[in-house]
Amino acid sequence: MKSLDGVSKVVVIGLGMTGLSVVNHLRRLPQSLDIKVIDTRAAPPGQDQLPAEVELCCGEWQRGWLLDADLVVASPGIALATPELAEAAAAGIEIIGDIELFARAVDKPVVGITGSNGKSTVTSLVGEMAREAGIDVGVGGNIGFAALDMLEQGHDLYVLELSSFQLETTSSLPLVAAVYLNLSEDHMDRYPGGLEQYSEAKMRIFKHADLALFNRDDLATKPATATQLASFGFDGEGYGLVWQDGKEWLAVDGDALMPVEEIALVGRHNVANSLAALALADAAGIERQAACRTLRRYTGLDHRCQMVANEHGVQWVNDSKATNLASTVAALSGLKLAGRLHLLVGGDGKGADFSALGDVLAPMDVRLYCFGRDGHLLCPLSPQAVLVETMQEAMMLAAECVQPGDMVLLSPACASLDQFANFMARGEAFAELAHELAPQVGGKH
């Protein structure tokens, strides 16, 4: 484990899983460090796991600690524009995040993924491809395991999901490949400079990347400079799509790899995610056959366009994570079915205007099942809409009329708290009932 040159006093801002991983990493270093933790919450999570010798200040900023530090390691949830951090920066104190600490310690290949949407799916997919190829891989960062905790496990490859918040405090991360998947408005409260400032943070992923991968269909993701460029998109270039034998295929430089219809993930956006994952896998030395095998079996993260049943030609897809309009629109974008879509929507709409969803549904062969507290607000979006009380009622109604080629999709565009503890509980209830209904329906028509 490498030392931190010239550092003796470190202040960690923010506890929780990330803060604890930072403290534990610092304590493993060969040098003796004075470590203190500040968390503005009165009772921060992880407080009971903090070593007794590490001082903790809760519920307020400890300005004296900050200005006396040689190094500040800040949680990604705390903006650098926060007055206390800005004062420390003005005093010449270096401020980094846990990913920068990881960058200074890692000695194995790393793949990095950022973007407004799809980060978790691509990160998990590349991790699964590596496992399929027999590689000891650590998958984490903005999802799953804290990056610094994974170092202790001694993996041969690391795959990191990286948020714009994490990238703001990262300057030396060596990556064998990095991808910027797409750009859309998010976290605008954090970026007064708007979309341009938000994108600048994400572009930092390419700073020390051997290969920079961008989206040809979203050129805002293309870096101005890079050691080596690659791209993915829905045309026939690079990692793209070609037509062969009457089917659409995933391809590399025009050479067909596998039919798009064999991808287990659901939705057109996941075709793009699959192309990005293939490119990253190639750059990381993951056997391409293993990557394609993974695409055929990997059904995705729980509650994100996750196929939970597929029997008698009817697909049952859990997208309970779609708790707002934009997520549901993304799930529907480019969706191609041989039959009809049975779309389950509703819950707590959080005051949203759902009218834009009507435009998306208009050209589709869809039956809309509206449930929950705000289900009545969604009914006017389609002439083929039915209003019920619960998601379970909606599923039972759909089961009565599905035919081979149809899809039953839970993509609610609403929060779940009116009827469920959280979106996970809603998704689990959908999956459980889908497993009961799927063997019984579709084949009888």
Side-chain angles (χ1 to χ4, degrees):
M1 203 65 81
K2 301 174 187 175
S3 298
L4 292 172
D5 293 338
V7 173
S8 61
K9 298 179 181 179
V10 183
V11 173
V12 179
I13 311 295
L15 202 50
M17 181 181 76
T18 300
L20 280 172
S21 75
V22 170
V23 169
N24 291 333
H25 173 76
L26 292 171
R27 294 180 72 240
R28 288 193 297 266
L29 295 178
Q31 68 209 94
S32 177
L33 293 172
D34 176 8
I35 306 167
K36 293 180 169 64
V37 177
I38 298 172
D39 196 304
T40 56
R41 294 168 290 189
Q47 184 175 355
D48 56 334
Q49 300 172 54
L50 196 65
E53 62 269 27
V54 176
E55 285 190 75
L56 172 64
C57 173
C58 293
E60 61 180 352
W61 287 92
Q62 179 58 265
R63 183 172 171 271
W65 288 4
L66 273 177
L67 296 179
D68 191 41
D70 301 312
L71 179 70
V72 171
V73 185
S75 162
I78 301 170
L80 292 173
T82 301
E84 290 80 2
L85 288 186
E87 182 183 15
I93 298 164
E94 185 180 19
I95 301 173
I96 65 172
D98 69 305
I99 301 301
E100 179 61 21
L101 275 181
F102 174 90
R104 297 179 186 187
V106 69
D107 59 359
K108 294 292 174 63
V110 187
V111 171
I113 297 102
T114 197
S116 298
N117 298 296
K119 295 188 297 295
S120 297
T121 295
V122 174
T123 302
S124 301
L125 190 49
V126 175
E128 288 298 311
M129 289 173 170
R131 292 187 186 101
E132 180 70 22
I135 297 171
D136 182 353
V137 61
V139 180
N142 196 46
I143 59 167
F145 294 103
L148 289 168
D149 285 345
M150 293 194 299
L151 281 178
E152 278 299 280
Q153 298 162 20
H155 299 291
D156 294 322
L157 173 70
Y158 296 92
V159 182
L160 300 183
E161 175 185 324
L162 299 169
S163 70
S164 58
F165 295 175
Q166 289 171 314
L167 289 167
E168 286 175 17
T169 53
T170 302
S171 57
S172 65
L173 180 63
L175 297 171
V176 293
V179 66
Y180 185 172
L181 295 170
N182 45 57
L183 174 65
S184 61
E185 283 196 0
D186 203 0
H187 307 300
M188 289 299 101
D189 53 340
R190 174 89 167 229
Y191 297 104
L195 201 60
E196 183 177 354
Q197 184 184 10
Y198 171 51
S199 186
E200 283 175 2
K202 290 196 170 296
M203 281 289 178
R204 292 173 65 90
I205 197 171
F206 294 131
K207 193 168 184 180
H208 296 284
D210 295 338
L211 177 73
L213 179 67
F214 69 93
N215 184 347
R216 290 193 303 277
D217 298 317
D218 189 348
L219 291 179
T221 65
K222 183 178 180 179
T225 59
T227 303
Q228 183 181 353
L229 275 174
S231 63
F232 67 96
F234 289 152
D235 56 24
E237 299 177 21
Y239 290 83
L241 303 175
V242 297
W243 282 89
Q244 182 173 295
D245 302 327
K247 295 180 180 180
E248 195 175 39
W249 290 61
L250 300 181
V252 180
D253 296 327
D255 294 331
L257 294 184
M258 62 177 281
V260 167
E261 65 185 24
E262 293 182 8
I263 297 173
L265 289 165
V266 175
R268 192 67 175 173
H269 60 300
N270 277 322
V271 176
N273 290 336
S274 297
L275 289 167
L278 274 173
L280 295 173
D282 280 352
I286 297 169
E287 180 193 23
R288 191 173 285 172
Q289 286 185 335
C292 289
R293 287 197 301 272
T294 302
L295 289 176
R296 290 184 173 95
R297 68 164 175 79
Y298 182 65
T299 57
L301 295 164
D302 289 348
H303 316 297
R304 301 185 189 190
C305 284
Q306 177 194 24
M307 190 184 302
V308 295
N310 185 5
E311 297 193 42
H312 302 304
V314 179
Q315 301 176 73
W316 299 75
V317 178
N318 168 22
D319 191 33
S320 185
K321 182 69 164 62
T323 57
N324 55 47
L325 177 65
S327 296
T328 296
V329 170
L332 298 177
S333 178
L335 190 63
K336 294 180 181 179
L337 294 175
R340 168 175 283 192
L341 175 66
H342 301 263
L343 179 62
L344 280 57
V345 294
D348 177 4
K350 300 174 288 187
D353 176 4
F354 294 110
S355 56
L357 184 57
D359 297 333
V360 177
L361 296 175
M364 302 179 71
D365 181 5
V366 60
R367 190 177 191 208
L368 202 62
Y369 302 80
C370 309
F371 66 91
R373 194 181 78 180
D374 291 332
H376 65 286
L377 300 177
L378 292 148
C379 270
L381 298 178
S382 171
Q384 299 295 320
V386 58
L387 180 64
V388 296
E389 285 292 321
T390 67
M391 180 188 72
Q392 289 83 350
E393 288 178 69
M395 294 177 70
M396 297 295 287
L397 280 178
E400 291 177 4
C401 56
V402 290
Q403 299 187 37
D406 288 2
M407 176 186 290
V408 182
L409 171 62
L410 170 68
S411 189
C414 293
S416 58
L417 300 180
D418 60 325
Q419 294 185 342
F420 297 92
N422 48 49
F423 76 83
M424 292 88 77
R426 178 171 62 188
E428 288 159 6
F430 173 86
E432 184 176 349
L433 186 53
H435 287 140
E436 292 179 22
L437 294 173
Q440 306 169 27
V441 303
K444 62 176 184 280
H445 294 281

